[in-house]
Amino acid sequence: MAAARNATAAAVCPAPMKATSDGAWQGENPLHYALPLAIVQIILVVVVTRALAFLLRPLRQPRVIAEIIGGILLGPSALGRNRTFLNNVFPTRSLTVLDTLANFGLLFFLFLVGLELDLRALRRTGRTALAIAVAGMSLPFVLGIGTSVVLRSTVNPGVRPGPFLVFMGVSLSITAFPVLARILAELKLLTTDLGRMAMSAAAVNDVSAWILLALAIALSGSGSPLKTLWVLLSAVAFVIGATIFLRPALSFAARRSPAGEPVRESFICATLTVVLAAGFITDAIGIHALFGGFVVGVLIPKEGPFATVLIEKLEDLISSLLLPLYFVSSGLKTNIATISGARSWGLLVLVITNACFGKIVGTVLVSFLIRVPAREALALGFLMNTKGLVELIVLNIGRDRKVLNDECFAILVLMALFTTFITTPIVMAVYKPARRRHSTTPYKHRTIGRDDNLLHELRILACFHGSRNIPTLINLIESSRGTRRRRLTVYAMHLMEFSERSSAIFMVNKARRNGLPFWRRTNSTDADEDHVVVAFEAYRQLSRVAIRPMTAISDMNTIHEDIIASAEQKRIALIILPFHKFQRIDGVLESNGAAQHNVNKRVLRAAPCSVAVLVDRGLGGAALVSSSDVSYTMAVLFFGGPDDREALDYGVRMAEHPGISLVVLRFLQQDLADADDEESLAYFQSKKSSGRYEEVADLGTVQVAEAIKAAGRFNLFIVGRRARVAVALVERTDCPELGPVGSYLVSPEFSTAASVLVMQRYDPKVEAEDLLGEDCAVQVYDVPDTPLSAITPEASNFYLTA
């Protein structure tokens, strides 16, 4: 009898899984043990979600969409319909471990969300954003209450009305702040007026939603109203106590973490422990552990390197491995098959309609009242309708608290997926930022050209990815300054890749506040930024060159749009791009990746001015050379054609510098004479201070190569990209954008320590709009064209549109 009872108990309550197995050679299946099974689950989740993200990338969908779909596909709605797969990969007794890991990742992700949220910016939220946030929550919340009545009488009977209507109101009125930020960044709208308004309203909405969710959790408890009141009072006491006692300690850690020095390991460990402790306290109170992590993240000071280091320590592990488990955990609870019949699908349509109608109509009406243009108002309505992870958190808590049943949960998950999926394509369709034009100052000087007017200003857009190229770039700028009466203005653009990481939004916010990466008015947060600041500031003070800071933060697939549009707006004559390869210690050029390579090719194809690709082999060494110490020998290899003429014009300007010695090596070719070439060469020879001129007969590949090698040692070669070369100098190249001569100069066959500048003259037949379209907006942060002494922190928040 006892044995029968034990067998029955074992069948009902299987034994807990052991952590590790003894191995397959001992006859044990690793999938029957917690650790190896969790490893398989994590790998499967990462592979499926990243594959879906890659497939959805052409649709410009945020990664959260792929993770939600991946969770549903791995659940009982798709692959989970195969019982063998479900019982082996996601068995019931493993779900406790999976949910624990998922909630552990969620706890720290909400901590990262809190780090992204700046309360000071929230307090400065204007009336416009506040009105939009209130309207964007009020109407959908009311419609959510009405929808709860319908659902409660049909698919979710028997649930207590109070908690259910609050959960429904929150689920329909919430706006996912992290997901919205990434959508805006993907569309290059993050710092437009529309983006700022949406982010401010979403931040207010987010905080309000967390408060309402805490209320819903408190109401969903099984106790009396008095216990619910105690839960709410305890939550308020926790927030007040954390603000009074915890915030000073976190501020102390931030102050004791100066820029340029590593943050103490003890501070990092103590902060992460505090996050866990706060999660324990809020879970003990009864309002879920994630609230504790969120509150700690909000209280951490955003200035200085402390918050940045915390994000860098956590984001890859949390966002890449642990957080996707939460979507799978949600997907395993989502069974689309529960939505069956006309009634269920009709309820799904009703929920989606009410969610979209409440958010969009409420936002648009208030936007009209405050005189927001119609297109912006409509785009704002769809942006505020973004759901995502925050929505899933609300729904999962509601399901765990028995407020939502399986069918209601599936309906609301599909609603969240649909509303977020349609956001990007609809906003792209309805909102097209106007391209800013410069009617007062025509954009005429699109090439270096030669101009006897000594007051002619040369404008250069010098791009760089990091501090590695700074010495060569500044030494090249110093060599380009010409005579004192010919002004040189350089816009130094730091190209920074935007990603799905939390630090990407943090980086954008810092750039918007401080005008990164130059001349910061607050303590610097990164040693690399310090190096950039010192280099450009020192050069600006020691030279007559005006340097203007710019920061472009975009996906590498679209950052060329920022470069092209900024060049057009700033009336640039020459864009200098860093070559996608860097030189190792042994002299070999190693690639930084195809992404940077593609950026250069796209800019070369559609730039509104001349372009130069700089192959950095250490012009002037690893240090910045002062004007009095400049002593460079440069060579222009002239074969003929517009690009070679542009290279010659640039060389002539460089030769005006007293420390520059220029050699023009002309290769004579039969039947390729050009009147424009002869005119350019005659002008060069008329400038007595320009340099030495030599002619070489172009008799074949070997002779040309030998002539270049025999010309002497140079610090810099300046060549045309589309030079009229009669022979092929290299048999094969992986850098065809450098042209025949440039490809030879960077090939292993030509071993040299000289840097190379490959020039492409502007072709008026190619317009940047061919590539960008008229609706391009750029995400560029710029210090305006005012005297440097007049630059203020407020003035640095300047946004460029194309």
Side-chain angles (χ1 to χ4, degrees), residues 124-157:
R124 293 194 299 266
T125 300
R127 294 181 180 179
T128 300
L130 185 60
I132 291 173
V134 172
M137 284 202 70
S138 302
L139 184 57
F141 193 91
V142 172
L143 291 177
I145 293 175
T147 306
S148 69
V149 175
V150 178
L151 293 178
R152 186 168 175 268
S153 62
T154 51
V155 298
N156 202 24

Short mmCIF file of all heavy atoms in Angstrom, two decimals, residues 124-157:
data_model
loop_
_atom_site.label_atom_id
_atom_site.label_comp_id
_atom_site.label_asym_id
_atom_site.label_seq_id
_atom_site.Cartn_x
_atom_site.Cartn_y
_atom_site.Cartn_z
N ARG A 124 12.72 67.52 -16.72
CA ARG A 124 12.72 68.63 -17.67
C ARG A 124 11.74 68.39 -18.82
O ARG A 124 11.71 69.18 -19.76
CB ARG A 124 14.12 68.82 -18.25
CG ARG A 124 15.15 69.31 -17.23
CD ARG A 124 16.40 69.80 -17.94
NE ARG A 124 17.04 68.75 -18.71
CZ ARG A 124 18.02 67.98 -18.25
NH1 ARG A 124 18.46 68.14 -17.01
NH2 ARG A 124 18.56 67.04 -19.01
N THR A 125 10.96 67.34 -18.75
CA THR A 125 10.00 67.04 -19.80
C THR A 125 9.03 68.21 -19.97
O THR A 125 8.42 68.68 -19.02
CB THR A 125 9.22 65.77 -19.49
OG1 THR A 125 10.12 64.68 -19.38
CG2 THR A 125 8.21 65.47 -20.59
N GLY A 126 8.92 68.67 -21.19
CA GLY A 126 8.06 69.82 -21.44
C GLY A 126 6.58 69.46 -21.39
O GLY A 126 6.19 68.29 -21.31
N ARG A 127 5.78 70.49 -21.46
CA ARG A 127 4.33 70.28 -21.41
C ARG A 127 3.84 69.47 -22.60
O ARG A 127 2.89 68.69 -22.48
CB ARG A 127 3.62 71.64 -21.36
CG ARG A 127 3.89 72.44 -20.09
CD ARG A 127 3.13 73.75 -20.12
NE ARG A 127 3.38 74.53 -18.90
CZ ARG A 127 2.85 75.72 -18.67
NH1 ARG A 127 2.05 76.29 -19.58
NH2 ARG A 127 3.12 76.36 -17.55
N THR A 128 4.48 69.67 -23.74
CA THR A 128 4.05 68.93 -24.94
C THR A 128 4.21 67.43 -24.74
O THR A 128 3.25 66.66 -24.95
CB THR A 128 4.88 69.38 -26.15
OG1 THR A 128 4.69 70.78 -26.36
CG2 THR A 128 4.46 68.61 -27.39
N ALA A 129 5.40 67.01 -24.34
CA ALA A 129 5.64 65.58 -24.14
C ALA A 129 4.79 65.03 -23.01
O ALA A 129 4.29 63.89 -23.08
CB ALA A 129 7.12 65.33 -23.86
N LEU A 130 4.60 65.82 -21.97
CA LEU A 130 3.79 65.37 -20.84
C LEU A 130 2.34 65.18 -21.27
O LEU A 130 1.69 64.19 -20.90
CB LEU A 130 3.88 66.38 -19.70
CG LEU A 130 3.17 66.00 -18.40
CD1 LEU A 130 3.75 64.71 -17.84
CD2 LEU A 130 3.27 67.13 -17.38
N ALA A 131 1.82 66.12 -22.06
CA ALA A 131 0.44 66.00 -22.54
C ALA A 131 0.28 64.77 -23.43
O ALA A 131 -0.71 64.04 -23.34
CB ALA A 131 0.05 67.26 -23.31
N ILE A 132 1.27 64.52 -24.29
CA ILE A 132 1.21 63.35 -25.17
C ILE A 132 1.27 62.07 -24.35
O ILE A 132 0.55 61.10 -24.63
CB ILE A 132 2.36 63.41 -26.19
CG1 ILE A 132 2.11 64.54 -27.18
CG2 ILE A 132 2.51 62.09 -26.93
CD1 ILE A 132 3.25 64.79 -28.13
N ALA A 133 2.13 62.05 -23.32
CA ALA A 133 2.24 60.86 -22.48
C ALA A 133 0.92 60.58 -21.75
O ALA A 133 0.46 59.43 -21.68
CB ALA A 133 3.37 61.03 -21.47
N VAL A 134 0.31 61.63 -21.20
CA VAL A 134 -0.96 61.45 -20.47
C VAL A 134 -2.06 60.96 -21.41
O VAL A 134 -2.79 60.02 -21.10
CB VAL A 134 -1.36 62.76 -19.78
CG1 VAL A 134 -2.77 62.65 -19.19
CG2 VAL A 134 -0.36 63.12 -18.69
N ALA A 135 -2.16 61.60 -22.58
CA ALA A 135 -3.18 61.19 -23.54
C ALA A 135 -2.91 59.79 -24.07
O ALA A 135 -3.84 59.00 -24.28
CB ALA A 135 -3.23 62.18 -24.70
N GLY A 136 -1.61 59.47 -24.26
CA GLY A 136 -1.25 58.16 -24.78
C GLY A 136 -1.47 57.04 -23.79
O GLY A 136 -1.41 55.86 -24.16
N MET A 137 -1.70 57.37 -22.53
CA MET A 137 -2.01 56.36 -21.52
C MET A 137 -3.48 56.35 -21.14
O MET A 137 -4.06 55.29 -20.92
CB MET A 137 -1.17 56.58 -20.27
CG MET A 137 0.27 56.16 -20.39
SD MET A 137 1.04 55.84 -18.79
CE MET A 137 0.21 54.32 -18.29
N SER A 138 -4.10 57.51 -21.09
CA SER A 138 -5.46 57.61 -20.56
C SER A 138 -6.48 56.89 -21.43
O SER A 138 -7.22 56.01 -20.96
CB SER A 138 -5.85 59.08 -20.39
OG SER A 138 -4.95 59.74 -19.55
N LEU A 139 -6.53 57.25 -22.73
CA LEU A 139 -7.53 56.65 -23.61
C LEU A 139 -7.34 55.14 -23.75
O LEU A 139 -8.32 54.39 -23.61
CB LEU A 139 -7.51 57.35 -24.97
CG LEU A 139 -8.57 56.88 -25.97
CD1 LEU A 139 -9.96 57.02 -25.39
CD2 LEU A 139 -8.45 57.66 -27.28
N PRO A 140 -6.13 54.62 -24.03
CA PRO A 140 -6.00 53.17 -24.11
C PRO A 140 -6.26 52.47 -22.78
O PRO A 140 -6.74 51.33 -22.77
CB PRO A 140 -4.54 52.96 -24.56
CG PRO A 140 -3.85 54.23 -24.29
CD PRO A 140 -4.87 55.30 -24.40
N PHE A 141 -5.97 53.13 -21.65
CA PHE A 141 -6.27 52.52 -20.36
C PHE A 141 -7.78 52.36 -20.19
O PHE A 141 -8.26 51.32 -19.74
CB PHE A 141 -5.70 53.37 -19.23
CG PHE A 141 -5.68 52.69 -17.90
CD1 PHE A 141 -4.58 51.94 -17.50
CD2 PHE A 141 -6.77 52.75 -17.03
CE1 PHE A 141 -4.55 51.29 -16.28
CE2 PHE A 141 -6.76 52.11 -15.82
CZ PHE A 141 -5.65 51.37 -15.44
N VAL A 142 -8.53 53.40 -20.57
CA VAL A 142 -10.00 53.32 -20.49
C VAL A 142 -10.51 52.23 -21.42
O VAL A 142 -11.39 51.43 -21.05
CB VAL A 142 -10.62 54.69 -20.84
CG1 VAL A 142 -12.14 54.56 -20.95
CG2 VAL A 142 -10.25 55.72 -19.78
N LEU A 143 -9.97 52.18 -22.65
CA LEU A 143 -10.39 51.14 -23.58
C LEU A 143 -9.98 49.76 -23.08
O LEU A 143 -10.68 48.77 -23.33
CB LEU A 143 -9.78 51.39 -24.97
CG LEU A 143 -10.32 52.61 -25.72
CD1 LEU A 143 -9.58 52.79 -27.03
CD2 LEU A 143 -11.82 52.46 -25.98
N GLY A 144 -8.85 49.69 -22.37
CA GLY A 144 -8.44 48.42 -21.79
C GLY A 144 -9.41 47.94 -20.73
O GLY A 144 -9.70 46.74 -20.64
N ILE A 145 -9.95 48.87 -19.95
CA ILE A 145 -10.96 48.49 -18.95
C ILE A 145 -12.21 47.96 -19.65
O ILE A 145 -12.78 46.94 -19.24
CB ILE A 145 -11.28 49.71 -18.06
CG1 ILE A 145 -10.05 50.08 -17.22
CG2 ILE A 145 -12.49 49.42 -17.17
CD1 ILE A 145 -10.25 51.33 -16.39
N GLY A 146 -12.62 48.65 -20.73
CA GLY A 146 -13.77 48.16 -21.48
C GLY A 146 -13.51 46.80 -22.11
O GLY A 146 -14.38 45.92 -22.11
N THR A 147 -12.29 46.61 -22.64
CA THR A 147 -11.95 45.32 -23.23
C THR A 147 -11.94 44.21 -22.19
O THR A 147 -12.32 43.06 -22.47
CB THR A 147 -10.56 45.41 -23.90
OG1 THR A 147 -10.54 46.50 -24.82
CG2 THR A 147 -10.24 44.13 -24.64
N SER A 148 -11.53 44.54 -20.97
CA SER A 148 -11.49 43.53 -19.90
C SER A 148 -12.89 43.01 -19.58
O SER A 148 -13.05 41.83 -19.25
CB SER A 148 -10.85 44.12 -18.64
OG SER A 148 -11.69 45.10 -18.05
N VAL A 149 -13.88 43.88 -19.70
CA VAL A 149 -15.27 43.44 -19.45
C VAL A 149 -15.67 42.40 -20.49
O VAL A 149 -16.28 41.36 -20.15
CB VAL A 149 -16.22 44.66 -19.48
CG1 VAL A 149 -17.67 44.19 -19.36
CG2 VAL A 149 -15.87 45.65 -18.39
N VAL A 150 -15.32 42.66 -21.76
CA VAL A 150 -15.66 41.72 -22.83
C VAL A 150 -14.92 40.40 -22.64
O VAL A 150 -15.52 39.31 -22.73
CB VAL A 150 -15.35 42.33 -24.21
CG1 VAL A 150 -15.65 41.33 -25.32
CG2 VAL A 150 -16.15 43.61 -24.41
N LEU A 151 -13.63 40.45 -22.39
CA LEU A 151 -12.85 39.23 -22.23
C LEU A 151 -13.27 38.45 -20.99
O LEU A 151 -13.28 37.21 -21.01
CB LEU A 151 -11.36 39.58 -22.13
CG LEU A 151 -10.72 40.17 -23.40
CD1 LEU A 151 -9.26 40.51 -23.14
CD2 LEU A 151 -10.81 39.18 -24.56
N ARG A 152 -13.62 39.14 -19.95
CA ARG A 152 -14.01 38.46 -18.72
C ARG A 152 -15.33 37.71 -18.89
O ARG A 152 -15.55 36.66 -18.28
CB ARG A 152 -14.11 39.47 -17.58
CG ARG A 152 -14.38 38.86 -16.20
CD ARG A 152 -14.17 39.90 -15.12
NE ARG A 152 -14.54 39.35 -13.82
CZ ARG A 152 -15.74 39.47 -13.26
NH1 ARG A 152 -16.69 40.16 -13.91
NH2 ARG A 152 -16.00 38.94 -12.09
N SER A 153 -16.17 38.24 -19.75
CA SER A 153 -17.46 37.57 -19.97
C SER A 153 -17.40 36.49 -21.03
O SER A 153 -18.38 35.77 -21.24
CB SER A 153 -18.51 38.62 -20.39
OG SER A 153 -18.15 39.23 -21.61
N THR A 154 -16.23 36.35 -21.71
CA THR A 154 -16.13 35.36 -22.79
C THR A 154 -15.03 34.33 -22.51
O THR A 154 -15.32 33.19 -22.16
CB THR A 154 -15.85 36.08 -24.13
OG1 THR A 154 -14.73 36.96 -23.98
CG2 THR A 154 -17.06 36.89 -24.58
N VAL A 155 -13.76 34.73 -22.65
CA VAL A 155 -12.68 33.75 -22.59
C VAL A 155 -11.98 33.69 -21.24
O VAL A 155 -11.18 32.77 -21.01
CB VAL A 155 -11.62 34.07 -23.67
CG1 VAL A 155 -12.22 33.98 -25.06
CG2 VAL A 155 -10.98 35.43 -23.44
N ASN A 156 -12.23 34.62 -20.36
CA ASN A 156 -11.52 34.64 -19.08
C ASN A 156 -12.48 34.83 -17.92
O ASN A 156 -12.37 35.77 -17.12
CB ASN A 156 -10.47 35.77 -19.09
CG ASN A 156 -9.36 35.54 -18.08
OD1 ASN A 156 -9.09 34.41 -17.69
ND2 ASN A 156 -8.72 36.60 -17.66
N PRO A 157 -13.45 33.93 -17.77
CA PRO A 157 -14.45 34.09 -16.72
C PRO A 157 -13.89 33.70 -15.35
O PRO A 157 -12.89 32.99 -15.24
CB PRO A 157 -15.56 33.12 -17.14
CG PRO A 157 -14.84 32.05 -17.89
CD PRO A 157 -13.70 32.71 -18.59
#
